[in-house]
Amino acid sequence: MDVVGRGGRWMRESIDAVPATTLPWTNPWKCTLAGILIRRPASPLLDAGPLGILDRFGALHLDGTQVGFDGEPHEWDRVTGVRTCSAIELLTNDALEREVDRIRHLLPPVPGRKKLMMYVAEHLTLVLYTALDQSEAALHREIVAEVRYRGPVPGARRVARPGLFAAALLSLRPDANEALIGEATRREIPVASR
């Protein structure tokens, strides 16, 4: 039985339709959960007003000057290291539960909040199942799990980790994962498995 079904095929086609990343960078590359969901026919997000808030729990940003997850890009000049792990380590039901809790705390208490949250949670589940519906080799491919960078205070070190959507995207779109690692390598930033 096809666990993902028609919705998963739609999700995969929508993610695959995002233009490929290219090195050297000619334009910034960004893929967001809101950008994917708004393409869905009859999406309630078409009338949801500003969707930028969704970028805080579903985005991957790459270009020649910045890299970031979930609406928090960081200057490449501040990045000190990149860590990878197998996709299957990041794509878990626990990650989905953490992401849904994060959504609950990020969405402001406005009319329609519960409906929007349920819609986004349902589609994050679909993203997870779509990513898990890959070959065994794809699930064990190393993807970016952490971007380490210098904080604003001298000596402070920070770590950015992809949320569920960004991790699934890195797994489903090896070109984005390779571009992120490729830019780090080009800048002589250490890349290692965690």
Side-chain angles (χ1 to χ4, degrees):
M1 181 176 131
D2 182 7
V3 175
V4 180
R6 245 184 336 173
R9 285 191 296 279
W10 172 86
M11 181 66 71
R12 182 66 197 244
E13 289 168 4
S14 297
I15 289 172
D16 288 345
V18 174
T21 57
T22 56
L23 291 176
W25 300 103
T26 52
N27 294 306
W29 188 90
K30 185 175 183 179
C31 183
T32 68
L33 179 61
I36 296 295
L37 294 183
I38 204 160
R39 294 179 188 165
R40 182 145 203 175
S43 172
L45 298 183
L46 294 173
D47 299 321
L51 297 174
I53 192 168
L54 296 180
D55 289 356
R56 291 192 286 174
F57 53 82
L60 175 61
H61 175 95
L62 296 168
D63 65 31
T65 58
Q66 295 182 322
V67 59
F69 308 114
D70 304 335
E72 294 185 18
H74 304 286
E75 299 294 321
W76 274 110
D77 292 343
R78 300 187 79 74
V79 175
T80 60
V82 173
R83 298 280 186 257
T84 64
C85 71
S86 67
I88 196 75
E89 291 179 59
L90 296 180
L91 301 172
T92 66
N93 283 330
D94 287 344
L96 177 61
E97 288 175 17
R98 282 192 305 272
E99 205 73 350
V100 170
D101 282 343
R102 193 162 67 109
I103 294 167
R104 190 174 290 115
H105 290 93
L106 286 175
L107 288 179
V110 295
R113 176 182 186 257
K114 184 175 181 180
K115 183 178 178 181
L116 178 60
M117 204 195 120
M118 294 304 293
Y119 182 79
V120 172
E122 172 188 329
H123 284 81
L124 276 173
T125 303
L126 189 56
V127 167
L128 174 62
Y129 288 152
T130 301
L132 291 173
D133 196 37
Q134 299 180 86
S135 70
E136 196 68 24
L139 290 173
H140 290 282
R141 180 185 315 120
E142 292 280 309
I143 63 171
V144 174
E146 297 177 351
V147 172
R148 296 170 181 246
Y149 62 98
R150 290 187 306 280
V153 177
R157 302 282 183 233
R158 303 260 174 101
V159 177
R161 293 179 178 89
L164 181 65
F165 176 77
L169 186 63
L170 289 166
S171 177
L172 290 165
R173 291 293 302 266
D175 62 307
N177 189 61
E178 290 165 14
L180 196 162
I181 291 171
E183 183 66 18
T185 302
R186 186 185 77 75
R187 291 172 171 271
E188 300 181 352
I189 295 168
V191 176
S193 186
R194 66 175 191 179

